[in-house]
Amino acid sequence: MNRRFAVRLAAAAAAWGLPLATRAQGAPVEGRDYARLAQPLAMPASGKIEVVEFFGYWCPHCNSFEPSLDAWSRKLPADVVFRRVPVAFSAPQEPYAKIYFTLESMGLLEQMHRKVFAAIHVQHQHLEKDSEILAFMTANGVDGAKFSEAYKSFTVASKFKQARQLADAYRIDGVPTLGIHGRFFTSPSLAGGHEQALRVTDQLIQRARQG
């Protein structure tokens, strides 16, 4: 959850006599449904609009958001590129970010992404120690030796560092948060729900498309 705005949003909605679920029905309002970065980020000259989900496997809000987000991401237009960026706010959360980048480097995200969420939030497994992570991976058909090698690789370490830098540039202090083309961000806590956050994101994509 985006801690920076959740309390303020709830108070504002109460003051207006509106339930949170109705917050993003019309045009999104800056400072209420989304925020604008004070310093826009440089974007690749690909001509595509980038949407980033900042998330953590450890986060229950990210787990509950995942089904809606996944369905939305599979219907994006050709000029929009979507990617996930795992965030760690503390040392115990770092292994979860590295799990994501390791699976990505092995081409196993499609197979394992939702299984990791389920292991943590449904089966209540801890995946912080190397032994816990390898036991889970091998139990799910992943080659333990190859996973361990990739997990400790320079590639994964570099991606983890880059993820931290991007989260800092977006000033992320809570997840899940959606960053839109280096200019805006929104979240379920800001917009008032999962579908509302995705609706706001669609509208911000259109703004980014218009320059």
Side-chain angles (χ1 to χ4, degrees):
M1 179 176 289
N2 191 307
R3 298 185 297 275
R4 182 169 18 183
F5 292 106
V7 173
R8 188 175 75 183
L9 175 63
W16 297 327
L18 295 174
L20 286 176
T22 69
R23 296 298 301 111
Q25 293 300 319
V29 176
E30 184 175 345
R32 189 188 72 185
D33 303 310
Y34 72 95
R36 183 188 302 267
L37 271 68
Q39 183 65 45
L41 308 183
M43 291 286 102
S46 63
K48 292 185 179 291
I49 298 164
E50 180 182 79
V51 177
V52 180
E53 184 214 12
F54 295 95
F55 84 103
Y57 279 131
W58 45 268
C59 167
H61 304 290
C62 300
N63 177 57
S64 63
F65 188 34
E66 179 61 27
S68 297
L69 180 67
D70 182 60
W72 173 86
S73 70
R74 295 177 186 275
K75 300 176 183 178
L76 288 171
D79 68 336
V80 178
V81 60
F82 171 75
R83 63 187 178 114
R84 293 176 175 85
V85 171
V87 176
F89 296 114
S90 64
Q93 294 170 356
E94 292 181 5
Y96 295 103
K98 293 179 180 178
I99 286 171
Y100 180 87
F101 288 126
T102 303
L103 292 172
E104 182 181 56
S105 71
M106 297 177 71
L108 295 175
L109 277 178
E110 187 71 23
Q111 173 185 334
M112 295 296 298
H113 182 64
R114 295 287 285 273
K115 290 182 180 180
V116 176
F117 269 128
I120 298 163
H121 300 286
V122 178
Q123 301 160 18
H124 306 294
Q125 296 185 39
H126 292 283
L127 300 179
E128 297 173 8
K129 298 178 181 178
D130 288 358
S131 58
E132 295 168 339
I133 297 168
L134 286 178
F136 168 74
M137 292 299 165
T138 54
N140 284 274
V142 177
D143 187 305
K146 291 182 179 179
F147 182 91
S148 182
E149 181 180 2
Y151 184 84
K152 297 174 183 177
S153 69
F154 175 77
T155 297
V156 167
S158 296
K159 287 186 175 183
F160 178 77
K161 180 179 179 180
Q162 291 166 4
R164 174 166 286 171
Q165 291 171 340
L166 185 62
D168 287 345
Y170 267 101
R171 300 187 179 277
I172 300 300
D173 69 352
V175 291
T177 297
L178 293 165
I180 298 91
H181 207 53
R183 293 172 55 188
F184 314 106
F185 65 83
T186 188
S187 67
S189 62
L190 266 175
H194 297 167
E195 298 305 325
Q196 290 81 3
L198 296 174
R199 186 180 301 114
V200 169
T201 300
D202 285 335
Q203 292 167 314
L204 294 175
I205 288 171
Q206 181 60 24
R207 293 190 187 183
R209 187 179 286 126
Q210 295 170 349

